C-alpha cells in the first residue's frame, strides 16, 4: 500500500490553446479538461491507473468537486472534513507542451485541523510501504510541516497505533518546493530535523531542476546553478543531488524535463534519458515520474531500473493531454537509456 498525503489539493483545469499564449489578447480554447489534483493526488491517480493499491489522504468537505472527481475516477481517499472549498488551479497549454500554471493559495486550516489531518494520515498509513508527502502547503502551515509529519510517522511506528503497527516504518518520499522543500531537508525547528532521536529527512526527495537549484542555493549544498544549467549538465545535477544525500536524505530523484532524470543514492548516481516525445502537456509529468519510481521499487527493482520506470512514466505523461496520467502499459521503459554518473 502506498499512501499519499496532499495538504493543499486542487481541482486542476487545463485549457489547451491553438497557438502561443498572447498576453492581453482574447484567445479561444481548443479544449478544456479538469481533474482532481495536487501532487500527492496525482501520484495516487497514476498508481490506480497501473492497478496498485493506494489511498490519498487530504482535506475536503462533502461534495467538494475534488473529492467528487476522486470518487468518479475510482481513487480511494480519506478526507478530513473542512468548511472551506478547495482551490482551483488553471494550466494553459500551448502546442509543443509549453505550460503556464496559475495556482490559487488554498483554504486556511486551523491548528486543530492541521493536527487532525496528521492524525488521519497516521491512521491510514498503518502497514504502508511508502508515504508520499507532496505539494505546496496551505496558508498558515509551518514551513517544517513535512519534517514534523515524517518524525511523527517514524516515532509512532510500532506503538500499536501508528503506521508501523502492521508493517514497520514506512519509507517517506517528499515532493515540494520553496520553504517546505528546504525544511524537509535541513529542518527549521529549534532542534533541527532530529527530535527525540527521530529524523524528519525523507528516504526519497523528488525535486525538478528548478527546485534542486533552489534547494542547493538555500541550503548551501553546492555551487549555485540555475535550473537551465542543471538540465543542460546532468553531472552538475548529480553533484547537487549527491550533496543532499550526504546531508542525510536517502535518495534524490531529480527530474530534468525533456533531458530525463538523475537518481543519486549513497551507492551510485545515474542519468536516464528517453527519446523525444510529442509533448502535449507537462502538467503532472513529475508526479507520474514519482509514481513510476514507486511502482518499480515495489516490484523489487534495482535503483537504476526504478529510475528507468520513472522516466518512462514522465515521458508518457507529457505525451497525454491535460493532467492525464499514464498506466504502466502506456510507458516504454525499454526505450530509456541509463548512464552511470559520478557523485561529485
Amino acid at each position: 500500500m502506498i499512501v499519499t498525503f496532499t495538504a493543499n489539493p486542487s481541482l486542476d483545469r487545463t485549457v489547451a490553446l491553438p497557438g502561443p499564449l498572447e498576453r492581453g489578447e482574447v484567445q479561444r480554447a481548443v479544449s478544456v479538461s479538469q481533474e482532481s489534483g495536487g501532487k500527492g493526488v496525482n501520484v495516487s491517480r497514476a498508481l490506480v491507473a497501473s492497478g496498485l493499491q493506494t489511498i490519498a489522504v487530504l482535506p475536503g468537505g462533502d461534495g467538494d468537486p475534488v473529492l467528487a472527481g476522486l470518487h468518479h475516477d475510482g481513487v480511494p481517499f480519506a478526507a478530513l472534513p473542512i468548511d472551506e472549498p478547495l482551490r482551483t488551479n488553471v494550466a494553459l497549454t500551448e502546442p509543443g507542451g509549453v505550460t503556464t500554471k496559475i495556482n490559487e493559495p488554498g483554504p486556511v486550516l486551523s491548528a486543530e485541523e492541521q493536527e487532525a489531518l496528521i492524525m488521519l494520515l497516521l491512521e491510514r498509513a498503518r502497514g504502508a510501504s511508502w508515504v508520499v508527502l507532496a505539494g505546496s502547503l496551505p496558508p498558515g502551515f509551518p514551513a517544517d510541516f513535512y519534517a514534523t509529519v515524517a518524525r511523527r510517522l517514524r516515532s509512532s511506528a510500532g506503538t500499536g497505533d501508528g503506521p508501523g503497527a502492521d508493517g514497520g516504518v514506512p519509507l517517506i518520499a517528499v515532493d515540494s518546493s520553496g520553504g517546505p522543500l528546504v525544511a524537509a531537508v535541513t529542518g527549521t525547528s529549534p532542534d533541527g530535523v532530529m527530535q527525540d532521536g527521530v529524523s524528519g529527512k525523507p528516504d526519497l526527495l523528488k525535486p525538478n531542476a528548478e527546485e534542486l537549484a533552489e534547494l542547493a542555493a538555500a541550503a548551501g549544498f553546492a555551487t549555485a546553478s540555475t535550473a537551465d544549467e542543471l538540465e543542460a549538465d546532468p553531472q552538475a545535477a548529480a553533484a547537487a543531488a549527491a550533496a543532499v544525500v550526504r546531508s542525510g536524505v536517502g535518495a534524490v530523484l531529480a527530474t530534468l524535463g525533456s533531458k530525463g532524470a538523475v537518481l543519486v543514492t549513497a551507492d551510485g548516481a545515474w542519468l536516464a534519458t528517453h527519446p523525444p516525445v510529442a509533448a502535449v502537456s507537462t502538467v503532472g509529468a513529475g508526479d507520474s515520474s514519482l509514481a513510476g519510481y514507486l511502482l518499480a521499487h515495489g516490484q523489487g527493482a534495482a535503483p537504476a531500473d526504478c529510475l528507468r520506470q520513472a522516466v518512462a512514466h514522465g515521458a508518457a505523461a507529457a505525451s497525454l493531454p491535460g493532467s492525464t496520467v499514464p498506466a504502466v502499459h502506456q510507458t516504454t521503459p525499454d526505450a530509456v537509456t541509463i548512464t552511470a554518473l559520478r557523485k561529485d
Side-chain angles (χ1 to χ4, degrees):
M1 170 69 76
I2 297 173
V3 178
T4 67
F5 180 75
T6 308
N8 204 14
S10 60
L11 185 67
D12 288 349
R13 291 178 57 83
T14 302
V15 179
L17 301 176
L21 175 65
E22 299 176 12
R23 294 184 60 191
E25 300 296 329
V26 175
Q27 292 178 265
R28 298 188 183 279
V30 173
S31 64
V32 178
S33 62
Q34 67 180 33
E35 298 277 359
S36 299
K39 285 184 175 295
V41 167
N42 289 340
V43 171
S44 279
R45 288 174 52 229
L47 294 172
V48 166
S50 293
L52 271 71
Q53 285 192 315
T54 182
I55 186 168
V57 177
L58 69 166
D62 290 341
D64 192 283
V66 173
L67 302 188
L70 291 176
H71 180 74
H72 178 270
D73 293 340
V75 178
F77 66 88
L80 175 74
I82 61 173
D83 293 330
E84 291 189 60
L86 298 173
R87 61 183 180 150
T88 298
N89 295 338
V90 178
L92 306 175
T93 63
E94 305 171 36
V98 175
T99 302
T100 303
K101 297 188 68 176
I102 304 171
N103 291 350
E104 295 182 2
V108 175
L109 274 64
S110 67
E112 291 76 16
E113 289 172 322
Q114 293 178 32
E115 174 61 21
L117 193 58
I118 294 175
M119 293 303 297
L120 178 61
L121 174 63
L122 295 180
E123 174 188 347
R124 293 296 181 165
R126 293 175 183 171
S129 57
W130 280 92
V131 173
V132 178
L133 311 176
S136 64
L137 296 174
F141 273 55
D144 66 344
F145 183 78
Y146 286 146
T148 297
V149 171
R151 287 193 296 265
R152 294 277 295 272
L153 283 163
R154 288 170 176 145
S155 63
S156 64
T159 63
D161 59 357
D166 300 320
V169 182
L171 296 170
I172 297 171
V174 172
D175 182 1
S176 191
S177 60
L181 172 68
V182 175
V185 175
T186 64
T188 60
S189 63
D191 296 328
V193 296
M194 294 294 289
Q195 181 175 311
D196 298 327
V198 180
S199 173
K201 296 189 178 185
D203 299 287
L204 177 67
L205 192 72
K206 211 272 340 141
N208 58 28
E210 182 177 354
E211 292 157 355
L212 182 58
E214 175 185 38
L215 177 61
F221 287 134
T223 302
S225 299
T226 66
D228 288 342
E229 290 170 340
L230 293 180
E231 288 189 359
D233 185 357
Q235 187 60 65
V244 178
V245 170
R246 287 194 295 271
S247 77
V249 172
V252 175
L253 170 65
T255 51
L256 307 177
S258 63
K259 302 300 177 64
V262 164
L263 175 67
V264 178
T265 72
D267 298 321
W270 303 268
L271 166 69
T273 57
H274 190 284
V277 299
V280 176
S281 171
T282 59
V283 178
D287 307 327
S288 291
S289 293
L290 178 54
Y293 179 98
L294 297 176
L295 185 155
H297 187 276
Q299 295 173 339
D305 288 323
C306 291
L307 174 62
R308 181 189 303 277
Q309 189 60 54
V311 168
H313 255 75
S319 70
L320 298 173
S323 56
T324 306
V325 295
V328 66
H329 68 82
Q330 295 173 291
T331 70
T332 52
D334 290 344
V336 176
T337 299
I338 302 291
T339 305
L341 300 174
R342 302 188 315 275
K343 292 196 300 176
D344 50 19

